[in-house]
């Protein structure tokens, strides 16, 4: 029988082990025995806590999402301006632990699994909604809702795309380079929106007006 009070510790150890095993394999083809071995427990104990490998994998995704949500909440709470909120969301997406090779590999494996698993697809959709919502919280005060949504969609696509770029070991980007790319995109889009807002509307010359009336 597991010792009383050990369940939370063992469950976390198994989730951490699943993340490492998935990262090493680069896919979700790992077995419960391999994960248990990584955690230093028996496969029977792993099944006792999670029932099946699929349930353990779902909990691993939830763990990543909880971690991201907590970090984003802290970063947003410290941001003093709307633009700073956008920057906080971008930087949280590329903080060092999220850029760890096994974490990047795990996210890619989960995206692949989402094509087959409705449960995984729902969790990744939840991640996408949270990312979009967090970006919108900073963008909405800076431009129209339509422009904010468009810029948030573009920034989110860049963030996810840069994770895929990280899987290309031949040409990885640093954390700072990844942050800078997304920041440049957001800044450029906001400047373009501002320029369109303050630009004077063209007026017709007197000659053009008379010519139209003569028709």
């Amino acid at each position: 029988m597991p010792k009383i009070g050990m369940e939370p510790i063992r469950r976390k150890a198994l989730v951490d082990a699943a993340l490492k095993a998935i990262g090493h394999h680069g896919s979700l083809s790992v077995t419960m025995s391999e994960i248990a071995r990584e955690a230093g427990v028996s496969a029977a104990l792993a099944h006792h806590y999670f029932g099946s490998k699929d349930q353990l994998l779902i909990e691993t995704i939830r763990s990543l999402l909880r971690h991201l949500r907590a970090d984003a909440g802290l970063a947003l709470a410290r941001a003093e301006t709307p633009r700073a909120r956008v920057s906080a969301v971008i930087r949280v997406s590329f903080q060092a632990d999220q850029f760890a090779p096994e974490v990047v590999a795990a996210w890619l494996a989960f995206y692949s699994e989402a094509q087959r698993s409705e449960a995984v697809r729902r969790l990744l959709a939840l991640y996408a909604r949270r990312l979009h919502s967090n970006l919108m919280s900073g963008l909405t005060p800076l431009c129209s809702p339509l422009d904010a949504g468009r810029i948030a969609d573009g920034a989110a696509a860049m963030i996810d795309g840069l994770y895929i770029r990280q899987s290309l070991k031949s040409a990885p980007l640093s954390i700072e380079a990844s942050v800078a790319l997304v920041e440049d995109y957001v800044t450029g889009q906001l400047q373009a929106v501002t320029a369109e807002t303050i630009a004077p509307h063209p007026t017709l010359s007197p000659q053009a007006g008379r010519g139209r009336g003569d028709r």
Side-chain angles (χ1 to χ4, degrees):
M1 288 287 293
K3 293 181 181 179
I4 296 174
M6 287 298 293
E7 180 172 351
I9 297 172
R10 291 275 170 76
R11 287 177 67 90
K12 184 180 186 306
L14 283 163
V15 167
D16 292 343
L19 187 62
K20 290 179 183 178
I22 294 165
H24 292 157
H25 279 255
S27 73
L28 301 184
S29 62
V30 295
T31 66
M32 200 67 142
S33 294
E34 289 171 321
I35 295 171
R37 191 180 312 118
E38 181 75 36
V41 301
S42 67
L45 194 62
H47 280 286
H48 170 77
Y49 285 130
F50 289 99
S52 68
K53 187 185 82 168
D54 287 346
Q55 291 177 356
L56 175 53
L57 295 179
I58 291 296
E59 181 56 30
T60 303
I61 302 174
R62 286 177 176 152
S63 177
L64 288 173
L65 291 176
R66 284 195 297 268
H67 186 63
L68 263 179
R69 185 178 186 179
D71 287 347
L74 287 173
L76 288 170
R78 296 189 188 112
E80 298 181 353
T81 65
R83 184 63 181 83
R85 290 178 68 85
V86 179
S87 293
V89 176
I90 294 170
R91 186 159 287 281
V92 161
S93 298
F94 294 109
Q95 59 192 354
D97 55 351
Q98 290 297 324
F99 247 45
E102 66 271 16
V103 175
V104 175
W107 276 113
L108 292 176
F110 291 141
Y111 272 109
S112 177
E113 181 65 16
Q115 299 177 65
R116 296 177 290 275
S117 169
E118 177 62 27
V120 174
R121 187 159 52 247
R122 284 198 302 268
L123 287 173
L124 293 180
L126 174 62
Y127 153 75
R129 288 196 300 272
R130 284 180 182 168
L131 176 58
H132 187 270
S133 176
N134 287 338
L135 289 167
M136 288 290 285
S137 73
L139 289 167
T140 301
L142 301 176
C143 54
S144 71
L146 183 62
D147 286 324
R150 177 178 55 79
I151 297 171
D153 285 342
M158 288 189 71
I159 289 169
D160 288 341
L162 286 166
Y163 258 95
I164 295 175
R165 183 73 176 269
Q166 277 300 308
S167 69
L168 305 176
K169 303 300 183 183
S170 60
L173 291 174
S174 69
I175 291 175
E176 292 304 321
S178 298
V179 170
L181 280 173
V182 186
E183 287 281 8
D184 287 349
Y185 166 77
V186 171
T187 297
Q189 291 295 310
L190 288 173
Q191 288 175 343
V193 169
T194 302
E196 290 177 2
T197 301
I198 65 176
H201 293 287
T203 56
L204 292 171
S205 66
Q207 291 82 2
R210 285 197 299 273
R212 190 168 59 216
D214 290 341
R215 291 195 185 102

